[in-house]
Amino acid sequence: MIEVKNLHKSFGDAHILKGISATFHKGKTNLIIGQSGSGKSVFLKCLLGLYDYEQGRIEYDGEVFSNLSEDKKRDMRAKIGMVFQGSALFDSLTIEENVMFPLRMFTKLKKDEMRDRANIVLKRVNLEDAHNKMPSEASGGMQKRVAIARAIVNNPKYLFCDEPNSGLDPKTAIVIDNLIHEITEENNITTVINTHDMNSVMEIGDNIMFLRNGLKAWEGSKDTIFKTDNEVVTDFVYSSNLFKKVREAILREHS
Amino acid sequence: MQYLHNIGTYFLMIIELFRKPTKWSVMKELILKDIDDLIIGSIGIVAFIAFFVGGVVTIQTALNIDNPLIPKELIGFATRQSILLEFAPTFMSIIMAGKVGSFITSSIGTMRVTEQIDALEVMGINSLNYLVFPKLVAMAFYPFVISIAMFLGVIGGLMACIYGGYASADDFITGIQQEFEPFHIVYAFIKTFLFAFVLATIPSYHGYYMKGGALEVGEASTTSFVWTSVAIIIINYLATQLLLS
């Protein structure tokens, strides 16, 4: 479980996060949603320790991240898996080597054992035939799946995903969403996903936090987001014509 | 003020390079890869340039000696001095700032743009140690490249001298051996080691701390070439003043 208390972050005069508190539960997919510029990415980077923050605290299973020594921070980071928006695969390594990378850095496994483990994980993300390809030879969807495989290969306790569906077609996006959801439940890990894709919200939103102008504007789940009266959330959720029409149809049915 | 900030960040980067070292089994492979990319991959162009510039130095020297009282050995002597003292260590390093420097800046800069450096940091890896330290170690072999440049520069001069008909091979070789000062080799290699450090670290700095996208990677490569060249010229002046005067 990850607990965030009263998090503040500024860049110069721009106050980006204005006191956010949240709890991200174990074994659940926790979604952070909001418009572009709402502070989602900055919030995620604060959670990951990539940005320092001025005020507040972040606890990973009771341990305050900022209070840890450099060595303990390093150990903690070895328990974190991250799927970046652009996949962030290492260009010079093959897909298999990319997946093996965390094992090479943090375990004492023999090369064959690492290869076996990588291939098991690649099979889990349906990429068993792609291990010798270079990242540049893989499609966007494949790259995302490799990034997921790399993130989970070392059995992380926490999985972070920054817009895992961006740039993907709707069908592939659903495959990626379901994969993350299944992995979260199978391994009982704490997953935090940064997204503005409403399909993801409908598919896998166990817990949802809505950010607006650096503040938490709403919190709920996929079951409650479509029933909320919060105008800020409804304005965001029904901003697309598709969802607008679905809502109109539901309202017609109810009336 | 921005310049002072950049210089401070550069020296902090140097310190950070040596903290939280990467596992030796991984580092070993990175070093070997960088030796291949930066050193072995540069030998061809260095050999080509050194050979022909050596020839040009000889021709220019020979054409400017029109006094019959000046011995022909001076052609070999002047070629040796030019190549050993300045051309091979200094001007070859400026050429390498373009080749190796822009390669380092663009490869690290692209990793920054595509969040690969963030991926390393999230995993708890000291990205500076992982990316820059192997380049620094690989560049410790840079004097080997400069030795080749020295040797081929003189050979190029000898060939130009013989086939251009400016002097006999004996005269040229006698000139090469005349008043040879072994300390000049020491001076040249001290400079080379300093340039190797600059060639590994300044382009890395520009790549690592760049912000933006693909266009900025190109800009960072150009800026890195300019500042690496400036640093080489200044170090060259200071080293010459300290070691030879």
Short mmCIF file of all heavy atoms in Angstrom, two decimals, chain B residues 145-199:
data_model
loop_
_atom_site.label_atom_id
_atom_site.label_comp_id
_atom_site.label_asym_id
_atom_site.label_seq_id
_atom_site.Cartn_x
_atom_site.Cartn_y
_atom_site.Cartn_z
N VAL B 145 45.03 5.69 -29.78
CA VAL B 145 44.59 6.27 -31.06
C VAL B 145 45.57 7.37 -31.49
O VAL B 145 45.95 7.46 -32.67
CB VAL B 145 43.16 6.86 -30.92
CG1 VAL B 145 42.71 7.53 -32.20
CG2 VAL B 145 42.17 5.78 -30.53
N ILE B 146 45.98 8.17 -30.53
CA ILE B 146 46.90 9.28 -30.85
C ILE B 146 48.27 8.74 -31.26
O ILE B 146 48.94 9.31 -32.13
CB ILE B 146 46.98 10.25 -29.64
CG1 ILE B 146 45.61 10.89 -29.42
CG2 ILE B 146 48.05 11.33 -29.84
CD1 ILE B 146 45.01 11.60 -30.61
N SER B 147 48.69 7.61 -30.65
CA SER B 147 49.97 6.99 -31.07
C SER B 147 49.89 6.61 -32.54
O SER B 147 50.86 6.81 -33.29
CB SER B 147 50.25 5.71 -30.28
OG SER B 147 50.05 5.93 -28.94
N ILE B 148 48.75 6.06 -32.93
CA ILE B 148 48.58 5.67 -34.34
C ILE B 148 48.64 6.92 -35.23
O ILE B 148 49.28 6.92 -36.29
CB ILE B 148 47.23 4.92 -34.52
CG1 ILE B 148 47.31 3.56 -33.82
CG2 ILE B 148 46.89 4.73 -36.00
CD1 ILE B 148 46.00 2.80 -33.78
N ALA B 149 47.99 8.00 -34.75
CA ALA B 149 48.00 9.25 -35.52
C ALA B 149 49.42 9.77 -35.66
O ALA B 149 49.83 10.23 -36.75
CB ALA B 149 47.11 10.28 -34.84
N MET B 150 50.20 9.68 -34.60
CA MET B 150 51.60 10.16 -34.64
C MET B 150 52.39 9.35 -35.66
O MET B 150 53.09 9.90 -36.51
CB MET B 150 52.25 10.01 -33.26
CG MET B 150 51.78 11.02 -32.24
SD MET B 150 52.50 10.60 -30.63
CE MET B 150 51.88 11.96 -29.65
N PHE B 151 52.26 8.04 -35.54
CA PHE B 151 53.03 7.15 -36.41
C PHE B 151 52.65 7.35 -37.88
O PHE B 151 53.51 7.56 -38.74
CB PHE B 151 52.77 5.69 -35.97
CG PHE B 151 53.44 4.67 -36.85
CD1 PHE B 151 54.82 4.48 -36.78
CD2 PHE B 151 52.71 3.91 -37.74
CE1 PHE B 151 55.45 3.54 -37.59
CE2 PHE B 151 53.33 2.97 -38.56
CZ PHE B 151 54.70 2.78 -38.48
N LEU B 152 51.33 7.34 -38.14
CA LEU B 152 50.89 7.44 -39.54
C LEU B 152 51.12 8.84 -40.11
O LEU B 152 51.32 9.00 -41.31
CB LEU B 152 49.43 7.03 -39.67
CG LEU B 152 49.20 5.53 -39.54
CD1 LEU B 152 47.71 5.22 -39.54
CD2 LEU B 152 49.89 4.76 -40.66
N GLY B 153 51.08 9.85 -39.25
CA GLY B 153 51.37 11.21 -39.70
C GLY B 153 52.79 11.30 -40.23
O GLY B 153 53.04 11.87 -41.31
N VAL B 154 53.71 10.72 -39.49
CA VAL B 154 55.13 10.75 -39.91
C VAL B 154 55.31 9.89 -41.17
O VAL B 154 56.03 10.29 -42.11
CB VAL B 154 56.04 10.27 -38.75
CG1 VAL B 154 57.48 10.12 -39.21
CG2 VAL B 154 55.96 11.24 -37.59
N ILE B 155 54.65 8.74 -41.20
CA ILE B 155 54.74 7.88 -42.40
C ILE B 155 54.17 8.60 -43.63
O ILE B 155 54.75 8.57 -44.72
CB ILE B 155 53.98 6.54 -42.17
CG1 ILE B 155 54.66 5.72 -41.07
CG2 ILE B 155 53.87 5.72 -43.46
CD1 ILE B 155 56.05 5.21 -41.40
N GLY B 156 53.04 9.30 -43.42
CA GLY B 156 52.43 10.07 -44.52
C GLY B 156 53.40 11.13 -45.01
O GLY B 156 53.54 11.36 -46.23
N GLY B 157 54.09 11.77 -44.05
CA GLY B 157 55.10 12.78 -44.41
C GLY B 157 56.23 12.16 -45.22
O GLY B 157 56.67 12.73 -46.23
N LEU B 158 56.68 11.00 -44.78
CA LEU B 158 57.79 10.31 -45.47
C LEU B 158 57.39 9.97 -46.91
O LEU B 158 58.15 10.21 -47.85
CB LEU B 158 58.14 9.04 -44.69
CG LEU B 158 59.21 8.12 -45.31
CD1 LEU B 158 60.58 8.81 -45.32
CD2 LEU B 158 59.31 6.81 -44.53
N MET B 159 56.16 9.46 -47.06
CA MET B 159 55.67 9.09 -48.40
C MET B 159 55.60 10.32 -49.30
O MET B 159 56.03 10.29 -50.46
CB MET B 159 54.27 8.45 -48.31
CG MET B 159 54.25 7.12 -47.61
SD MET B 159 55.22 5.92 -48.53
CE MET B 159 55.58 4.75 -47.27
N ALA B 160 55.03 11.40 -48.75
CA ALA B 160 54.89 12.63 -49.55
C ALA B 160 56.26 13.16 -49.94
O ALA B 160 56.46 13.65 -51.07
CB ALA B 160 54.12 13.67 -48.74
N CYS B 161 57.20 13.03 -49.02
CA CYS B 161 58.56 13.53 -49.26
C CYS B 161 59.23 12.74 -50.39
O CYS B 161 59.80 13.32 -51.32
CB CYS B 161 59.35 13.43 -47.96
SG CYS B 161 60.95 14.20 -48.06
N ILE B 162 59.11 11.41 -50.30
CA ILE B 162 59.77 10.56 -51.30
C ILE B 162 59.08 10.71 -52.66
O ILE B 162 59.72 11.01 -53.66
CB ILE B 162 59.74 9.08 -50.85
CG1 ILE B 162 60.57 8.89 -49.59
CG2 ILE B 162 60.28 8.17 -51.96
CD1 ILE B 162 60.36 7.55 -48.90
N TYR B 163 57.74 10.51 -52.67
CA TYR B 163 57.04 10.49 -53.97
C TYR B 163 56.86 11.89 -54.56
O TYR B 163 56.66 12.03 -55.76
CB TYR B 163 55.71 9.75 -53.84
CG TYR B 163 55.93 8.28 -53.55
CD1 TYR B 163 55.68 7.73 -52.31
CD2 TYR B 163 56.48 7.44 -54.54
CE1 TYR B 163 55.93 6.40 -52.03
CE2 TYR B 163 56.74 6.10 -54.26
CZ TYR B 163 56.46 5.59 -53.02
OH TYR B 163 56.72 4.27 -52.76
N GLY B 164 56.97 12.92 -53.69
CA GLY B 164 56.90 14.29 -54.22
C GLY B 164 58.27 14.76 -54.69
O GLY B 164 58.40 15.81 -55.32
N GLY B 165 59.30 14.02 -54.32
CA GLY B 165 60.65 14.36 -54.74
C GLY B 165 61.23 15.56 -54.01
O GLY B 165 62.10 16.27 -54.52
N TYR B 166 60.79 15.80 -52.77
CA TYR B 166 61.27 16.97 -52.03
C TYR B 166 62.61 16.70 -51.34
O TYR B 166 63.41 17.60 -51.12
CB TYR B 166 60.23 17.40 -50.99
CG TYR B 166 58.91 17.75 -51.63
CD1 TYR B 166 57.80 16.92 -51.50
CD2 TYR B 166 58.78 18.91 -52.40
CE1 TYR B 166 56.59 17.23 -52.09
CE2 TYR B 166 57.58 19.22 -53.01
CZ TYR B 166 56.49 18.38 -52.84
OH TYR B 166 55.30 18.69 -53.45
N ALA B 167 62.80 15.45 -50.95
CA ALA B 167 64.08 15.06 -50.31
C ALA B 167 64.17 13.54 -50.36
O ALA B 167 63.18 12.86 -50.66
CB ALA B 167 64.12 15.54 -48.86
N SER B 168 65.35 13.03 -50.07
CA SER B 168 65.49 11.57 -50.08
C SER B 168 64.94 10.99 -48.76
O SER B 168 64.80 11.73 -47.77
CB SER B 168 66.96 11.19 -50.22
OG SER B 168 67.65 11.58 -49.05
N ALA B 169 64.67 9.69 -48.77
CA ALA B 169 64.18 9.03 -47.56
C ALA B 169 65.20 9.16 -46.43
O ALA B 169 64.84 9.38 -45.27
CB ALA B 169 63.90 7.56 -47.85
N ASP B 170 66.50 9.08 -46.78
CA ASP B 170 67.56 9.20 -45.77
C ASP B 170 67.52 10.56 -45.09
O ASP B 170 67.63 10.66 -43.86
CB ASP B 170 68.93 8.99 -46.43
CG ASP B 170 69.20 7.51 -46.68
OD1 ASP B 170 68.44 6.68 -46.14
OD2 ASP B 170 70.15 7.20 -47.43
N ASP B 171 67.38 11.61 -45.92
CA ASP B 171 67.34 12.97 -45.36
C ASP B 171 66.15 13.11 -44.40
O ASP B 171 66.28 13.68 -43.31
CB ASP B 171 67.19 14.01 -46.48
CG ASP B 171 68.49 14.20 -47.25
OD1 ASP B 171 69.54 13.82 -46.71
OD2 ASP B 171 68.43 14.72 -48.38
N PHE B 172 65.01 12.60 -44.84
CA PHE B 172 63.79 12.73 -44.03
C PHE B 172 63.94 11.99 -42.70
O PHE B 172 63.65 12.53 -41.62
CB PHE B 172 62.58 12.18 -44.81
CG PHE B 172 61.27 12.50 -44.17
CD1 PHE B 172 60.60 13.69 -44.43
CD2 PHE B 172 60.68 11.60 -43.29
CE1 PHE B 172 59.39 13.99 -43.83
CE2 PHE B 172 59.46 11.89 -42.67
CZ PHE B 172 58.82 13.08 -42.96
N ILE B 173 64.47 10.75 -42.80
CA ILE B 173 64.61 9.93 -41.57
C ILE B 173 65.66 10.54 -40.65
O ILE B 173 65.49 10.58 -39.42
CB ILE B 173 64.93 8.46 -41.95
CG1 ILE B 173 63.68 7.84 -42.60
CG2 ILE B 173 65.34 7.64 -40.72
CD1 ILE B 173 63.92 6.53 -43.30
N THR B 174 66.73 11.08 -41.22
CA THR B 174 67.74 11.76 -40.39
C THR B 174 67.09 12.94 -39.67
O THR B 174 67.32 13.18 -38.48
CB THR B 174 68.91 12.25 -41.28
OG1 THR B 174 69.37 11.17 -42.07
CG2 THR B 174 70.06 12.80 -40.45
N GLY B 175 66.25 13.67 -40.40
CA GLY B 175 65.54 14.82 -39.81
C GLY B 175 64.64 14.39 -38.66
O GLY B 175 64.57 15.06 -37.62
N ILE B 176 63.96 13.27 -38.85
CA ILE B 176 63.07 12.77 -37.79
C ILE B 176 63.86 12.49 -36.50
O ILE B 176 63.38 12.73 -35.40
CB ILE B 176 62.35 11.47 -38.26
CG1 ILE B 176 61.33 11.80 -39.35
CG2 ILE B 176 61.66 10.76 -37.12
CD1 ILE B 176 60.71 10.58 -39.98
N GLN B 177 65.10 11.98 -36.68
CA GLN B 177 65.89 11.57 -35.50
C GLN B 177 66.65 12.74 -34.86
O GLN B 177 67.11 12.62 -33.73
CB GLN B 177 66.89 10.49 -35.92
CG GLN B 177 66.19 9.19 -36.32
CD GLN B 177 67.13 8.21 -37.00
OE1 GLN B 177 68.13 8.60 -37.62
NE2 GLN B 177 66.81 6.93 -36.93
N GLN B 178 66.73 13.86 -35.58
CA GLN B 178 67.55 14.98 -35.09
C GLN B 178 66.96 15.65 -33.85
O GLN B 178 65.75 15.92 -33.81
CB GLN B 178 67.66 16.03 -36.19
CG GLN B 178 69.01 16.05 -36.85
CD GLN B 178 69.04 16.98 -38.03
OE1 GLN B 178 68.16 17.81 -38.21
NE2 GLN B 178 70.05 16.82 -38.88
N GLU B 179 67.83 15.90 -32.89
CA GLU B 179 67.46 16.64 -31.67
C GLU B 179 66.14 16.13 -31.08
O GLU B 179 65.25 16.91 -30.72
CB GLU B 179 67.37 18.14 -31.96
CG GLU B 179 68.72 18.73 -32.27
CD GLU B 179 68.66 20.22 -32.52
OE1 GLU B 179 68.01 20.91 -31.72
OE2 GLU B 179 69.23 20.68 -33.51
N PHE B 180 66.05 14.83 -30.99
CA PHE B 180 64.81 14.25 -30.45
C PHE B 180 64.79 14.40 -28.93
O PHE B 180 65.75 14.06 -28.24
CB PHE B 180 64.72 12.76 -30.84
CG PHE B 180 63.50 12.10 -30.26
CD1 PHE B 180 62.23 12.43 -30.72
CD2 PHE B 180 63.61 11.15 -29.26
CE1 PHE B 180 61.11 11.84 -30.19
CE2 PHE B 180 62.48 10.56 -28.71
CZ PHE B 180 61.22 10.90 -29.18
N GLU B 181 63.72 14.95 -28.44
CA GLU B 181 63.57 15.19 -27.00
C GLU B 181 62.50 14.25 -26.45
O GLU B 181 61.31 14.46 -26.71
CB GLU B 181 63.15 16.65 -26.81
CG GLU B 181 63.10 17.14 -25.40
CD GLU B 181 64.47 17.37 -24.77
OE1 GLU B 181 65.24 18.19 -25.32
OE2 GLU B 181 64.75 16.71 -23.76
N PRO B 182 62.89 13.20 -25.71
CA PRO B 182 61.88 12.25 -25.23
C PRO B 182 60.76 12.91 -24.41
O PRO B 182 59.62 12.45 -24.41
CB PRO B 182 62.67 11.26 -24.38
CG PRO B 182 64.06 11.39 -24.86
CD PRO B 182 64.25 12.79 -25.32
N PHE B 183 61.07 14.02 -23.73
CA PHE B 183 60.04 14.66 -22.91
C PHE B 183 58.87 15.17 -23.76
O PHE B 183 57.74 15.30 -23.27
CB PHE B 183 60.63 15.81 -22.08
CG PHE B 183 59.60 16.45 -21.18
CD1 PHE B 183 59.10 15.78 -20.07
CD2 PHE B 183 59.08 17.71 -21.47
CE1 PHE B 183 58.12 16.35 -19.27
CE2 PHE B 183 58.10 18.28 -20.67
CZ PHE B 183 57.63 17.60 -19.57
N HIS B 184 59.16 15.45 -25.04
CA HIS B 184 58.07 15.90 -25.92
C HIS B 184 56.98 14.85 -26.06
O HIS B 184 55.80 15.17 -26.18
CB HIS B 184 58.63 16.28 -27.30
CG HIS B 184 59.37 17.57 -27.29
ND1 HIS B 184 60.08 18.05 -28.36
CD2 HIS B 184 59.52 18.49 -26.30
CE1 HIS B 184 60.63 19.20 -28.05
NE2 HIS B 184 60.31 19.50 -26.81
N ILE B 185 57.39 13.59 -26.01
CA ILE B 185 56.40 12.50 -26.08
C ILE B 185 55.59 12.49 -24.78
O ILE B 185 54.36 12.35 -24.79
CB ILE B 185 57.12 11.14 -26.28
CG1 ILE B 185 57.86 11.11 -27.60
CG2 ILE B 185 56.16 9.96 -26.16
CD1 ILE B 185 56.98 10.93 -28.82
N VAL B 186 56.30 12.66 -23.65
CA VAL B 186 55.61 12.70 -22.35
C VAL B 186 54.61 13.85 -22.35
O VAL B 186 53.43 13.69 -21.97
CB VAL B 186 56.63 12.87 -21.19
CG1 VAL B 186 55.92 13.03 -19.85
CG2 VAL B 186 57.59 11.69 -21.15
N TYR B 187 55.07 15.02 -22.81
CA TYR B 187 54.20 16.21 -22.88
C TYR B 187 52.97 15.91 -23.75
O TYR B 187 51.83 16.22 -23.35
CB TYR B 187 55.03 17.37 -23.46
CG TYR B 187 54.25 18.46 -24.13
CD1 TYR B 187 53.55 19.42 -23.38
CD2 TYR B 187 54.21 18.56 -25.52
CE1 TYR B 187 52.84 20.43 -24.01
CE2 TYR B 187 53.50 19.56 -26.15
CZ TYR B 187 52.81 20.50 -25.39
OH TYR B 187 52.10 21.49 -26.02
N ALA B 188 53.20 15.30 -24.91
CA ALA B 188 52.09 15.01 -25.82
C ALA B 188 51.08 14.05 -25.18
O ALA B 188 49.87 14.24 -25.31
CB ALA B 188 52.62 14.41 -27.13
N PHE B 189 51.58 13.06 -24.44
CA PHE B 189 50.65 12.09 -23.85
C PHE B 189 49.96 12.63 -22.59
O PHE B 189 48.83 12.24 -22.31
CB PHE B 189 51.34 10.75 -23.60
CG PHE B 189 51.42 9.94 -24.86
CD1 PHE B 189 52.62 9.70 -25.49
CD2 PHE B 189 50.27 9.45 -25.47
CE1 PHE B 189 52.69 8.99 -26.67
CE2 PHE B 189 50.32 8.74 -26.65
CZ PHE B 189 51.53 8.51 -27.26
N ILE B 190 50.64 13.53 -21.86
CA ILE B 190 49.94 14.17 -20.73
C ILE B 190 48.74 14.95 -21.28
O ILE B 190 47.62 14.87 -20.78
CB ILE B 190 50.91 15.10 -19.94
CG1 ILE B 190 51.91 14.26 -19.15
CG2 ILE B 190 50.12 16.02 -18.98
CD1 ILE B 190 53.01 15.05 -18.47
N LYS B 191 49.01 15.71 -22.37
CA LYS B 191 47.91 16.47 -23.00
C LYS B 191 46.81 15.53 -23.47
O LYS B 191 45.62 15.80 -23.28
CB LYS B 191 48.45 17.22 -24.24
CG LYS B 191 49.23 18.44 -23.95
CD LYS B 191 49.26 19.43 -25.11
CE LYS B 191 49.72 18.89 -26.43
NZ LYS B 191 49.91 19.95 -27.44
N THR B 192 47.22 14.42 -24.06
CA THR B 192 46.24 13.48 -24.61
C THR B 192 45.32 12.93 -23.52
O THR B 192 44.11 12.83 -23.72
CB THR B 192 46.97 12.33 -25.32
OG1 THR B 192 47.83 12.89 -26.30
CG2 THR B 192 46.00 11.38 -26.00
N PHE B 193 45.91 12.61 -22.35
CA PHE B 193 45.08 12.11 -21.25
C PHE B 193 44.08 13.18 -20.79
O PHE B 193 42.92 12.88 -20.51
CB PHE B 193 45.95 11.66 -20.08
CG PHE B 193 46.35 10.21 -20.19
CD1 PHE B 193 47.68 9.86 -20.43
CD2 PHE B 193 45.42 9.19 -20.07
CE1 PHE B 193 48.06 8.53 -20.56
CE2 PHE B 193 45.79 7.85 -20.19
CZ PHE B 193 47.11 7.53 -20.44
N LEU B 194 44.55 14.43 -20.72
CA LEU B 194 43.64 15.51 -20.32
C LEU B 194 42.53 15.69 -21.35
O LEU B 194 41.36 15.85 -21.01
CB LEU B 194 44.43 16.83 -20.16
CG LEU B 194 45.45 16.86 -19.02
CD1 LEU B 194 46.30 18.13 -19.08
CD2 LEU B 194 44.76 16.78 -17.66
N PHE B 195 42.89 15.60 -22.63
CA PHE B 195 41.88 15.75 -23.69
C PHE B 195 40.89 14.57 -23.65
O PHE B 195 39.70 14.75 -23.90
CB PHE B 195 42.54 15.80 -25.07
CG PHE B 195 43.44 16.99 -25.28
CD1 PHE B 195 44.47 16.95 -26.22
CD2 PHE B 195 43.27 18.16 -24.55
CE1 PHE B 195 45.30 18.04 -26.42
CE2 PHE B 195 44.10 19.25 -24.74
CZ PHE B 195 45.13 19.18 -25.67
N ALA B 196 41.40 13.39 -23.33
CA ALA B 196 40.52 12.21 -23.26
C ALA B 196 39.46 12.42 -22.18
O ALA B 196 38.28 12.10 -22.39
CB ALA B 196 41.34 10.96 -22.95
N PHE B 197 39.87 12.98 -21.04
CA PHE B 197 38.93 13.25 -19.95
C PHE B 197 37.85 14.23 -20.41
O PHE B 197 36.66 14.03 -20.19
CB PHE B 197 39.70 13.81 -18.74
CG PHE B 197 38.85 14.02 -17.53
CD1 PHE B 197 38.55 12.97 -16.69
CD2 PHE B 197 38.33 15.28 -17.25
CE1 PHE B 197 37.73 13.16 -15.57
CE2 PHE B 197 37.52 15.47 -16.14
CZ PHE B 197 37.23 14.41 -15.30
N VAL B 198 38.32 15.29 -21.09
CA VAL B 198 37.40 16.31 -21.60
C VAL B 198 36.45 15.71 -22.64
O VAL B 198 35.24 15.98 -22.64
CB VAL B 198 38.23 17.48 -22.18
CG1 VAL B 198 37.39 18.36 -23.08
CG2 VAL B 198 38.84 18.30 -21.07
N LEU B 199 37.00 14.90 -23.53
CA LEU B 199 36.20 14.29 -24.61
C LEU B 199 35.12 13.35 -24.07
O LEU B 199 34.07 13.19 -24.68
CB LEU B 199 37.11 13.50 -25.57
CG LEU B 199 37.89 14.33 -26.59
CD1 LEU B 199 38.96 13.47 -27.26
CD2 LEU B 199 36.96 14.93 -27.63
#
